[in-house]
Amino acid sequence: MKKSLIEEPTIELLELFDEISEEARKEKLAASPISRMLFWWTRKPLIVGRAVALTSTLDNIEDVKSLLHLGRDKRAYTYTPDVGIYKKKLGRDPSEIKVLDPFAGSGNLMFSTHELNLNCTCSDYNPVASFIQKATLEYPAKYGEKLAKDFEKIAEEIIDITEKEVEEYYDDNVLIYFWVWCIKCPHCEQRIPLTNHMWIANTPKNKIGIRFHVTKDKNFTTELVENMTAEEGKQYTQKGGKAICISCKNTINRETIANEIKIRKDRQLIAIQTQKSTERVVVLATEKDNKFFHNASKYLQAHLKDYEENNWIPRERIKASDGLRHRAWAYGITEWDKLFSERQLLILIILLKNIQIICEKISDKDYAKVIISYLASMLCKHIDANCYATVYDPSTSKISNALTFRQPRLSFNHAELNPFIRVRGGLYNILNNIKSGIIFCSSNKFSAQVLNESVTNYSINHKKFEVIITDPPYSDDVIYGEMSDFFLVWFHLCVKDYFPEFPPIAPTDEDFCLSTGRFGDKKIASEFFKKGFIKSFVSMNHALEDDGLLVVFFAHSSNQAWNDLLDSIRKAKFTVVSSYSIHTESTSNVLAVGKTSFMSSIIVVCRKLTEQKTAYFEDIIPQTEDNVKEMIDKITPEKLLTIPITDLLIMVYGKVLETCTQFTELKSYEKDFTPDFETLIS
């Protein structure tokens, strides 16, 4: 493959990546339609995938700019590049260029590559990722907008019959139910509601909070307070793993809180949010509201045996991931079905049952397989909005998803959604999001190959690729195998008759993440990740044409993670030819704030190293310094002052990689000393 634009780190290209970063941040603020179809932990903005695909295959920056559609009225990803113009600029048929993403995840990086009619193969070891890729890159291209209409019609029918089946367990006017977990004080036996703030609504128009009052029988009552002050709104009964008794004011430790919840399972409904005209109104919960819930609980218990016999309940054990051991297991949530209240679980079971019944009536079984995939996505999206980990955001008066912080965690003051009300997380809103995603994806008429395979398995008809573009896992950033079971246990129950190859839980043998929980030891987990990372790069080398191009995204603040990257590149016999810093997250992202591992990524561009070369660490230090100086000299002083220090650091890291990966072996004149990345940058 001829030399492409991305291999020439000119000031013009650096400036273009700045523009792309700004567009990426804006895109993240208003997620693209495909990002709303089903949650995935890491999604690169679509504009980033388009930019990398174009700069990796074209050699003229003006040609790239003309196809990016930056600076227009709407977000750039909404404008489809003209494939005819692209083909002309490329000088060959795009479908002749084979492109691979072996860590494709949600498929975002490949979406624009796909719409340029490049010959795309998307693969991921994780079955949930593979499903998302099929839902965005394969099915819409095959069936077009008809698929969106059919899905909408069938989904509406399922929601309607489900609502009729459970209507006696909800008040039609209620949007959200506010619950608190309660514990008994070990010092005075007072019943304590657990909440980390007192706000019910904290918007410019409404400042509504709650107060708890102790009763003589060691219980409490709840009062709604209008115009609550900021000082009182910030009060709490639990924070940082400790609770404060509302009566004796003694402190209760985390272990006691966890044991109380695990053994007593005491919760109380304290308030409800209703819709009155155009306003959302909060009132205290009544006995009538509690009766709705208790009747649902009784119904579930009466039919539990039937549900179990039909295999409609996910009894799989929650794996020992690092976070879930503390945020779920400690509270008695050891199986996935225990993450839901009785009413929440009942809704999911009946929805699952009705999806299966309706899909059995579709005569075209291949098409039924496609439709049930999106219906399973609807079910899973609702799970993310209606479980014990669901968070209520008083600043917006809306539900925030259980995976807002990437993994479900028991929320002491949690919210329960009415599934049939048209609000965020409700079934009708989810239906519309999925429908919009299908319509958006169906504008792309080209097909992509989607595989559910490990990165180490590239015997795909002995096919070689000209370009590999990928975003591999970053050490312990996301523990994909364990976390994806949140969806997969339900997805499996829903589609098992159509996708027998999809397992009930995610495989982890080649899930290359640093999971201490999985191995029970951080050192062992770290070794597993390092070896897997190296195996991945070696496999990508084998899958790449000898003159092929490897483009890798990487983002981590740990020197050890960068050292793992350097090791993998060198041992797989790649050399870094250029690197760029790019922002892929909105600055308002709660996970991004203050974390360089989320705010900035480095794009590392590699070619195969074709000859054996050895260098001494001490000799390449001056060369590295010259490369860094040359990079800095290309940037004007005015521009330099505007670049965040973390971006400069990442750019320097890239230059270190470029210098030292020119050699297959690095030695030192100092005996028994092996140079690593940390030494090279210090």
Side-chain angles (χ1 to χ4, degrees), residues 396-651:
T396 61
S397 296
K398 295 178 182 178
I399 289 285
S400 290
N401 294 350
L403 296 177
T404 298
F405 296 97
R406 293 197 171 197
Q407 57 183 301
R409 57 179 74 186
L410 186 78
S411 178
F412 293 131
N413 46 316
H414 54 286
E416 180 188 8
L417 197 67
N418 182 338
F420 309 105
I421 299 293
R422 295 175 189 266
V423 295
R424 180 196 292 175
L427 291 170
Y428 284 105
N429 280 41
I430 293 169
L431 182 161
N432 288 332
N433 283 336
I434 295 173
K435 175 190 168 187
S436 297
I438 297 171
I439 292 170
F440 176 77
C441 294
S442 65
S443 64
N444 192 343
K445 305 303 181 186
F446 304 114
S447 60
Q449 184 179 24
V450 175
L451 302 173
N452 180 203
E453 292 189 5
S454 166
V455 65
T456 62
N457 181 25
Y458 284 109
S459 57
I460 315 167
N461 300 321
H462 304 287
K463 187 197 297 187
K464 292 276 189 176
F465 299 89
E466 286 189 54
V467 185
I468 296 177
I469 301 172
T470 195
D471 182 18
Y474 309 144
S475 186
D476 58 354
D477 181 22
V478 179
I479 313 302
Y480 291 98
E482 287 85 336
M483 290 300 100
S484 60
D485 284 350
F486 178 77
F487 293 124
L488 186 56
V489 292
W490 286 99
F491 185 80
H492 169 76
L493 291 180
C494 196
V495 306
K496 62 183 187 302
D497 292 338
Y498 299 85
F499 293 89
E501 70 274 18
F502 271 30
I505 57 174
T508 56
D509 288 352
E510 297 200 19
D511 180 59
F512 298 133
C513 302
L514 199 163
S515 172
T516 304
R518 188 186 306 169
F519 294 96
D521 181 272
K522 188 170 184 178
K523 187 176 180 181
I524 296 173
S526 181
E527 282 302 310
F528 171 80
F529 169 72
K530 289 177 188 177
K531 288 178 181 178
F533 212 51
I534 292 168
K535 280 173 67 177
S536 301
F537 275 79
V538 169
S539 180
M540 287 190 283
N541 187 298
H542 292 160
L544 198 64
E545 297 278 6
D546 287 343
D547 63 346
L549 193 69
L550 170 66
V551 183
V552 178
F553 284 79
F554 191 76
H556 209 285
S557 56
S558 157
N559 281 341
Q560 181 56 55
W562 284 89
N563 200 56
D564 293 340
L565 175 64
L566 172 60
D567 252 10
S568 299
I569 290 171
R570 288 184 53 251
K571 288 180 179 177
K573 297 182 180 178
F574 282 113
T575 181
V576 177
V577 295
S578 63
S579 57
Y580 303 89
S581 173
I582 191 164
H583 290 275
T584 56
E585 297 292 340
S586 160
T587 53
S588 64
N589 185 332
V590 294
L591 291 168
V593 176
K595 295 187 178 181
T596 59
S597 55
F598 296 110
M599 289 293 291
S600 301
S601 294
I602 186 172
I603 298 174
V604 181
V605 185
C606 304
R607 288 277 189 176
K608 285 190 175 184
L609 198 58
T610 55
E611 58 179 315
Q612 297 289 325
K613 294 170 69 178
T614 301
Y616 283 85
F617 160 70
E618 292 82 359
D619 293 338
I620 68 169
I621 294 281
Q623 184 183 344
T624 306
E625 291 172 345
D626 288 344
N627 287 347
V628 171
K629 185 176 183 303
E630 182 183 353
M631 175 190 71
I632 298 296
D633 287 345
K634 288 180 180 179
I635 306 170
T636 64
E638 295 79 11
K639 181 68 178 175
L640 195 61
L641 290 172
T642 67
I643 299 176
I645 189 66
T646 51
D647 280 12
L648 283 172
L649 186 62
I650 284 178
M651 289 162 72

Side-chain angles (χ1 to χ4, degrees), residues 40 104-107 124-134 450 484:
W40 185 252
S106 65
D124 203 288
Y125 183 61
N126 189 288
V128 176
S130 181
F131 157 72
I132 296 173
Q133 292 164 37
K134 285 179 175 292
V450 175
S484 60

Side-chain angles (χ1 to χ4, degrees), residues 61-128:
I61 195 166
E62 295 305 320
D63 292 342
V64 170
K65 287 179 179 179
S66 69
L67 293 162
L68 281 174
H69 298 295
L70 295 172
R72 299 182 68 173
D73 293 340
K74 296 186 290 184
R75 295 277 64 82
Y77 74 82
T78 63
Y79 299 97
T80 304
D82 188 312
V83 175
I85 293 175
Y86 175 60
K87 180 179 179 179
K88 185 177 179 180
K89 302 294 185 185
L90 193 63
R92 59 189 291 201
D93 190 332
S95 64
E96 295 174 357
I97 301 177
K98 298 180 180 68
V99 184
L100 168 70
D101 184 352
F103 293 105
S106 65
N108 275 35
L109 273 181
M110 284 292 100
F111 187 84
S112 291
T113 308
H114 178 220
E115 69 180 354
L116 289 167
N117 196 26
L118 291 159
N119 187 336
C120 295
T121 298
C122 302
S123 182
D124 203 288
Y125 183 61
N126 189 288
V128 176

Side-chain angles (χ1 to χ4, degrees), residues 216-353:
K216 290 181 180 179
D217 60 354
K218 301 289 186 181
N219 209 331
F220 64 87
T221 59
T222 307
E223 175 191 2
L224 276 183
V225 182
E226 293 190 5
N227 300 316
M228 178 170 270
T229 65
E231 183 178 356
E232 190 171 2
K234 291 177 183 176
Q235 297 299 311
Y236 56 87
T237 62
Q238 70 77 29
K239 210 163 202 176
K242 295 180 180 179
I244 299 173
C245 179
I246 59 175
S247 179
C248 70
K249 307 303 180 185
N250 273 308
T251 300
I252 300 103
N253 63 29
R254 186 192 298 270
E255 185 179 357
T256 302
I257 295 171
N259 283 334
E260 277 283 304
I261 291 174
K262 182 178 181 179
I263 295 167
R264 298 177 65 242
K265 298 179 175 59
D266 183 10
R267 297 190 311 138
Q268 181 156 322
L269 178 62
I270 60 170
I272 59 173
Q273 184 190 81
T274 64
Q275 186 79 41
K276 287 192 177 179
S277 185
T278 58
E279 279 192 86
R280 294 187 176 193
V281 179
V282 176
V283 296
L284 291 176
T286 65
E287 187 55 40
K288 177 186 173 184
D289 298 311
N290 279 293
K291 191 173 181 181
F292 281 121
F293 176 80
H294 290 305
N295 286 343
S297 181
K298 284 171 62 178
Y299 185 88
L300 175 67
Q301 292 304 318
H303 294 81
L304 197 59
K305 185 176 180 182
D306 179 47
Y307 296 154
E308 289 173 337
E309 287 176 353
N310 280 284
N311 196 19
W312 288 330
I313 303 176
R315 300 291 197 196
E316 287 81 7
R317 187 167 177 80
I318 296 174
K319 294 173 188 168
S321 71
D322 304 345
L324 288 177
R325 280 187 303 171
H326 305 294
R327 294 169 180 148
W329 282 18
Y331 302 98
I333 301 173
T334 50
E335 289 81 36
W336 285 107
D337 63 300
K338 292 181 180 176
L339 196 59
F340 308 92
S341 73
E342 292 89 334
R343 181 163 56 184
Q344 289 170 331
L345 186 60
L346 176 64
I347 294 302
L348 295 172
I349 291 169
I350 292 176
L351 190 63
L352 169 62
K353 176 198 73 172

